[in-house]
Amino acid sequence: MDTAHLMEFCAALAGAEVRLHGAPANILVYSIGGKSFAYFKTSEPERWRFSFKATPKRFLELTDIRGVKPARWRGRHQWVTVADVRTLPDAYLRELVEWSYRHALGKLSRARQVELTGASLPPRARARRGDP
């Protein structure tokens, strides 16, 4: 998948917002409800590098791949940066971005999730007294 297709994929996720932050950040951020799930660097020297959040296990797996490294400033929170998105298989990259998106969405209230995605969510199980 090339950069243009990945941008379209990120923007097409339900409720996704796209915002360009100019200098000095120079990043194109994809978020949902104010929670970032991915971004592209838009200036040199690493123009179009792509960053997203990963699970701790995937973080270790990904950072062992050539061209993938911990994201600057966010690496300690399991964000990774891919220098060239064409180096990762399309299905794998989509899976990773979708997880990051769902993670960001999960940080919002249930009402806000429904509002942004238009999807109904299953009811939560009620906690009983004595449950951990």
Side-chain angles (χ1 to χ4, degrees), residues 56-74:
K57 183 178 178 181
R58 285 278 169 101
F59 179 81
L60 293 174
E61 172 186 313
L62 287 162
T63 53
D64 280 343
I65 298 172
R66 186 180 184 146
V68 181
K69 61 184 179 182
R72 181 177 286 166
W73 310 113
R74 291 186 167 194

Side-chain angles (χ1 to χ4, degrees), residues 3-83:
T3 301
H5 286 106
L6 184 55
M7 287 178 173
E8 289 174 12
F9 176 76
C10 290
L13 293 169
E17 304 157 350
V18 183
R19 184 168 179 208
L20 178 62
H21 294 269
N26 298 316
I27 55 174
L28 183 64
V29 178
Y30 294 86
S31 61
I32 180 140
K35 304 292 183 186
S36 301
F37 64 88
Y39 62 91
F40 283 95
K41 181 72 174 168
T42 61
S43 63
E44 296 299 339
E46 293 183 312
R47 188 172 194 168
W48 305 125
R49 75 174 187 223
F50 180 66
S51 300
F52 57 91
K53 174 122 173 118
T55 65
K57 183 178 178 181
R58 285 278 169 101
F59 179 81
L60 293 174
E61 172 186 313
L62 287 162
T63 53
D64 280 343
I65 298 172
R66 186 180 184 146
V68 181
K69 61 184 179 182
R72 181 177 286 166
W73 310 113
R74 291 186 167 194
R76 65 178 175 224
H77 300 290
Q78 284 80 45
W79 279 73
V80 295
T81 294
V82 180

